[in-house]
Amino acid sequence: MKRTILLGLSLVFLGVLVGCNNSGKSSVDTATTSSSSRETTELTTSIKETTERTTTQSSIVQETKETDGSQEQAREEQANEAIESMNLSQIQQGDFTSLNGTWVNGLGNTIFVANNTMSLTDISNQKQAAEITGLNVDIPQLNSPEGTPELVSYMSDSNKVKSYEQQFGLEENQGFVSLRSNLPSAVIYVSFLPKGIMGDILEGDITRDKIVAVGTQNTATSVRAEYVYYKAD
């Protein structure tokens, strides 16, 4: 009888020990799983944060490059515009550098400009070629054999005047300037109108620089559109 009781207690004790071992193992497994899950979550969060920082930094770098590029392009456009626009202050000094190149009008006449020299196929709309150097003009068709302005009668045979004035006068108008050479009964004007200025031009392109060369008894720029010179190159 005692032996039976002892055997029963032994079996119970063994059952308790096995249960404790299984419980401990389960706790360890649970702790291990929880730790692994936490580490995985932390690693995922770290990778996400790193990716977000990298993306943000890349965006900042890209925006900086785009801003720098836009600023550089704006500076280049301003520089090009400054080069292309006529410089009225220089022109009044006989420096035509800001006009360098070939200018044409709707009548097929041309003006070729190189620094301080302008060569015109027709300065007066009377088929009179001319060359302007600085603030002096030479019109061969109106010269004497000596190469100077011919003396012509004005009002009477006894009254002789120069066919034109070689030294230009200057006229400043609203937003443009004109070189002026007096004729016996008219005036030759060579006028320079920057973009945005129309003067008395009846029609024309206000967005471009313009030159008007005309012999007239009217105002310096009172001409039709085909008389206006625009830069061709």
Side-chain angles (χ1 to χ4, degrees):
M1 182 68 175
K2 289 180 180 181
R3 203 174 287 166
T4 300
I5 293 172
L6 287 174
L7 181 59
L9 290 174
S10 296
L11 291 173
V12 171
F13 181 70
L14 287 173
V16 171
L17 286 177
V18 171
C20 288
N21 285 337
N22 289 336
S23 176
K25 182 178 180 181
S26 177
S27 298
V28 170
D29 291 343
T30 300
T32 300
T33 301
S34 177
S35 176
S36 298
S37 177
R38 186 166 55 252
E39 289 176 357
T40 301
T41 301
E42 290 176 353
L43 179 59
T44 302
T45 301
S46 176
I47 292 173
K48 182 179 180 182
E49 290 175 350
T50 301
T51 302
E52 289 176 348
R53 283 198 300 271
T54 301
T55 302
T56 300
Q57 290 172 352
S58 298
S59 298
I60 293 173
V61 170
Q62 182 63 29
E63 289 174 0
T64 301
K65 288 181 178 179
E66 290 176 354
T67 300
D68 291 343
S70 298
Q71 291 176 346
E72 181 64 26
Q73 183 178 356
R75 284 194 293 269
E76 288 178 358
E77 290 176 353
Q78 290 173 353
N80 290 335
E81 183 174 351
I83 292 172
E84 292 174 359
S85 296
M86 56 176 55
N87 188 316
L88 298 185
S89 296
Q90 290 180 351
I91 290 170
Q92 292 181 83
Q93 301 300 317
D95 180 357
F96 310 121
T97 304
S98 62
L99 310 174
N100 280 353
T102 301
W103 298 66
V104 298
N105 69 7
L107 300 174
N109 297 320
T110 62
I111 300 174
F112 178 72
V113 186
N115 300 326
N116 69 334
T117 302
M118 298 178 63
S119 299
L120 301 89
T121 58
D122 189 355
I123 195 172
S124 62
N125 295 323
Q126 298 296 322
K127 301 187 184 302
Q128 295 170 334
E131 183 166 287
I132 299 172
T133 303
L135 296 179
N136 290 284
V137 59
D138 181 43
I139 308 175
Q141 191 172 331
L142 299 181
N143 287 345
S144 66
E146 290 76 23
T148 58
E150 186 178 5
L151 294 177
V152 298
S153 297
Y154 179 65
M155 304 298 289
S156 68
D157 290 340
S158 60
N159 186 30
K160 300 288 186 177
V161 297
K162 292 180 180 180
S163 57
Y164 68 99
E165 294 290 338
Q166 286 185 301
Q167 177 70 40
F168 273 126
L170 289 171
E171 286 191 11
E172 293 187 54
N173 298 281
Q174 190 66 36
F176 69 95
V177 298
S178 299
L179 305 181
R180 171 184 177 135
S181 173
N182 292 324
L183 303 177
S185 59
V187 178
I188 288 177
Y189 285 111
V190 182
S191 302
F192 306 89
L193 301 92
K195 60 189 67 174
I197 302 297
M198 289 297 291
D200 295 320
I201 297 173
L202 301 182
E203 294 179 2
D205 189 345
I206 195 171
T207 67
R208 302 172 66 186
D209 293 338
K210 297 166 284 295
I211 298 177
V212 174
V214 63
T216 183
Q217 292 180 329
N218 297 316
T219 61
T221 59
S222 181
V223 298
R224 299 191 304 274
E226 60 265 31
Y227 287 85
V228 182
Y229 291 83
Y230 298 99
K231 194 171 185 182
D233 60 13

